[in-house]
Amino acid sequence: MAKKPDTPLPPYFNLDPEAAAGKLGPLVDTARFAKAAALAGRGRDDLAKRGYSPDGQKRLRKFSTWEICRYLIPVQAAHLRRVLNKHPELPQGEGSAGSRWFTLEEVLKLRDHFAEEGVSTKEYRPYRPQNLNAKTVAVANFKGGVGKTSTAAHLAMSAALDGYKVLVVDLDSQGSMTSIMGGDVPDEWSTVFPLLARDYAEHLQAENKIRAAAGDSELPLDETLTEALQVSLRDVVQKTHWPNIDLIGAQLNLYWAEFQIPVWRMGLRNWPLWDALTGALEKGGALDDYDIILLDTPPALGYLTINALAAADILMVPLGASFLEFDSTGRFFDMLYSTFASIEDGENAGRRRAGLPEMKFEWDVVRALITRFDASQQADLANVIQAYFGDFMNAHRQDYTALVGQAGESVSGIYEADYRNFNRETYTRGREVFDRTYAEFKELLIGAWWRDAQMAEAEGDMGGFAAKPQEEAE
């Protein structure tokens, strides 16, 4: 009888220490990290350029008549062609009469025309009440890899296609959103850092006036704070390849803010560090210049994220349908409670002593959103998450599709992908994933605006103006 071969041992048995040591290579010093970073930087640039034009600039593709009529403007293709023939002053696009391609700038001009001349029952421009501020939206969760940047980017792009003017603020020093938007951020002075520094410097100046009046010595303004006082929000805003999306970008040095902010707070204990970004957006005119301000946050509940959450009207919390992400998100909500309740308690104790009204953090709406969803494997757990989070949950779950994966490989959003590179079904299904997410988000957005408009009208702040679609109000 033949002897059976010995059962192979697992690979972690019978390892030779000398042979293992031979695979270690030389000892690693700090310079080796610099080399790894440089190599990764070159690779990152190579990969990023897959979504760029040959001259190294990122440009938005054009949109076909089919896309415009299906997704962007509620008009039949035949009627659009008749309107273009009747109005030669309108953008005519490129290509033959049956297959024309338009830039997004041209699409926005066509929207304006139909808003003035089209059917009154159709919405050619998106809803936005007059005399109300932009809505600020934070996309946050302190667990990484849950789809924060992807969700924020596609909400920004969806809103831009819908006709809104959007400011995207990248608060993550990894700069992924900045890469998607094609931003150029040479150093921290092109990020939100100088805006936060300016807010502290202005509070320091106010404190020094009080000290001077009392005969006390003034607190010094160092070179960084003095320079920050010369920087405005518009100085750090840059245009993107989307005509109605602007960007405040991020880069690695932005992380220094996480160390600097608590140092400033120690120097001036009455500085409300959580309000620095809110103040920068208000004083810089962003709430008037834009319809939506989207804040992409780092995967941590640090000072930058706290600023984003304090500035936000709407909070979107992406998570995957897994136990670990559900557990982490629950802890994130617990941290939000303890952090902001602690700020309220500390501030209100002083306000009560001074006879001032108490402060309270409030958000229009908070929604958790399941991303990268696989219905064949995650439906049961997703239903459990939905049951426990209840009215904090979005109804729609973002499926992971081939279109989403391929767009990510080219550092682009799905709306930047040319549908001719996919079969029509793949494109339609992939786009629908984010179209439905945006539809649910937009319902939250316009509902919050409408509620604000009703409250303002009741208080007499809008001169009797009730919230109306933008095309009627203008």
Side-chain angles (χ1 to χ4, degrees):
M1 184 175 180
K3 183 180 178 180
K4 292 183 179 180
D6 293 335
T7 303
L9 291 172
Y12 49 82
F13 281 98
N14 300 326
L15 294 176
D16 179 7
E18 183 178 1
K23 297 180 179 180
L24 296 180
L27 294 174
V28 177
D29 59 13
T30 54
R32 184 62 182 84
F33 292 123
K35 181 180 179 181
L39 291 171
R42 286 165 51 188
R44 181 177 61 247
D45 291 343
D46 289 344
L47 290 171
K49 285 182 170 57
R50 294 184 184 184
Y52 285 58
S53 300
D55 62 1
Q57 298 297 313
K58 201 164 189 181
R59 291 188 175 86
L60 185 61
R61 67 178 181 86
K62 295 185 177 183
F63 299 85
S64 70
T65 302
W66 171 77
E67 284 181 284
I68 292 170
C69 296
R70 172 157 184 165
Y71 295 114
L72 304 182
I73 303 177
V75 62
Q76 295 295 320
H79 182 58
L80 175 59
R81 286 192 287 270
R82 287 194 295 270
V83 169
L84 294 178
N85 289 334
K86 183 179 178 180
H87 298 276
E89 74 279 6
L90 290 175
Q92 298 295 309
E94 293 182 353
S96 62
S99 179
R100 298 184 185 182
W101 293 77
F102 299 80
T103 66
L104 185 54
E105 292 96 330
E106 292 172 332
V107 174
L108 295 174
K109 290 178 181 178
L110 293 176
R111 275 185 182 276
D112 290 340
H113 173 82
F114 282 104
E116 299 297 331
E117 305 292 337
V119 180
S120 61
T121 56
K122 292 185 177 181
E123 183 185 88
Y124 298 102
R125 293 196 191 110
Y127 175 93
R128 165 74 193 277
Q130 286 182 327
N131 304 327
L132 289 181
N133 289 336
K135 285 297 181 182
T136 302
V137 183
V139 182
N141 196 333
F142 64 24
K143 182 163 180 51
V146 295
K148 290 190 301 295
T149 299
S150 177
T151 297
H154 285 100
L155 286 177
M157 294 176 188
S158 298
L161 291 175
D162 199 14
Y164 287 119
K165 189 172 183 182
V166 183
L167 173 64
V168 173
V169 183
D170 191 352
L171 296 170
D172 187 349
S173 59
Q174 297 177 88
S176 299
M177 175 66 83
T178 302
S179 294
I180 292 172
M181 292 297 170
D184 180 20
V185 185
D187 56 38
E188 68 272 21
W189 288 91
S190 298
T191 72
V192 298
F193 175 79
L195 305 181
L196 306 181
R198 175 173 178 161
D199 187 81
Y200 173 70
E202 289 174 344
H203 278 80
L204 205 59
Q205 287 180 322
E207 174 69 16
N208 282 338
K209 289 181 180 179
I210 297 173
R211 286 172 169 261
D216 297 330
S217 60
E218 296 186 0
L219 299 172
L221 271 76
D222 61 24
E223 183 179 349
T224 295
L225 298 176
T226 302
E227 185 175 348
L229 285 169
Q230 308 305 314
V231 180
S232 70
L233 183 136
R234 289 181 173 86
D235 292 330
V236 297
V237 169
Q238 56 184 288
K239 298 294 183 183
T240 73
H241 56 296
W242 287 74
N244 49 349
I245 299 179
D246 290 346
L247 171 72
I248 300 178
Q251 57 104 257
L252 191 60
N253 289 350
L254 176 59
Y255 192 70
W256 181 247
E258 297 289 358
F259 300 96
Q260 189 61 60
I261 288 174
V263 172
W264 288 334
R265 172 72 169 184
M266 290 295 292
L268 187 63
R269 299 293 297 178
N270 64 355
W271 176 50
L273 62 87
W274 54 88
D275 268 346
L277 180 59
T278 303
L281 295 173
E282 290 176 351
K283 296 172 187 175
L287 301 184
D288 296 321
D289 294 343
Y290 300 94
D291 300 307
I292 300 170
I293 301 168
L294 265 164
L295 311 176
D296 185 36
T297 64
L301 192 56
Y303 295 105
L304 291 170
T305 301
I306 288 172
N307 264 270
L309 296 172
D313 302 298
I314 297 172
L315 173 58
M316 303 295 291
V317 184
L319 74 153
S322 74
F323 168 78
L324 291 178
E325 294 183 37
F326 174 47
D327 179 55
S328 177
T329 302
R331 296 176 192 273
F332 175 66
F333 287 135
D334 188 41
M335 286 286 287
L336 293 188
Y337 164 72
S338 60
T339 299
F340 287 99
S342 175
I343 295 173
E344 288 175 344
D345 290 344
E347 289 295 301
N348 288 333
R351 286 170 177 258
R352 284 191 291 269
R353 288 193 297 269
L356 299 173
E358 295 188 5
M359 68 169 294
K360 183 179 182 181
F361 290 103
E362 288 184 321
W363 291 266
D364 286 328
V365 65
V366 176
R367 287 291 185 272
L369 167 66
I370 290 179
T371 60
R372 300 171 292 109
F373 179 61
D374 183 350
S376 65
Q377 300 184 34
Q378 298 178 322
D380 288 343
L381 186 51
N383 290 337
V384 170
I385 294 172
Q386 191 94 30
Y388 278 103
F389 279 157
D391 62 359
F392 257 26
M393 286 297 301
N394 258 27
H396 172 59
R397 300 163 184 172
Q398 282 183 8
D399 294 323
Y400 186 84
T401 69
L403 181 62
V404 173
Q406 291 187 40
E409 290 175 4
S410 61
V411 200
S412 300
I414 60 168
Y415 297 112
E416 297 174 325
D418 191 328
Y419 67 85
R420 293 171 296 182
N421 296 329
F422 306 87
N423 69 54
R424 189 65 61 89
E425 182 180 352
T426 299
Y427 179 82
T428 302
R429 181 170 176 267
R431 179 174 179 138
E432 182 184 3
V433 167
F434 286 98
D435 282 348
R436 290 180 62 192
T437 297
Y438 176 68
E440 199 163 353
F441 165 77
K442 185 179 178 182
E443 189 172 27
L444 302 175
L445 174 73
I446 65 175
W449 263 327
W450 186 88
R451 185 169 60 187
D452 288 350
Q454 298 304 303
M455 293 172 61
E457 184 182 14
E459 295 170 1
D461 290 345
M462 298 179 71
F465 171 79
K468 298 179 182 179
Q470 201 175 59
E471 64 265 29
E472 294 178 20
E474 293 184 351

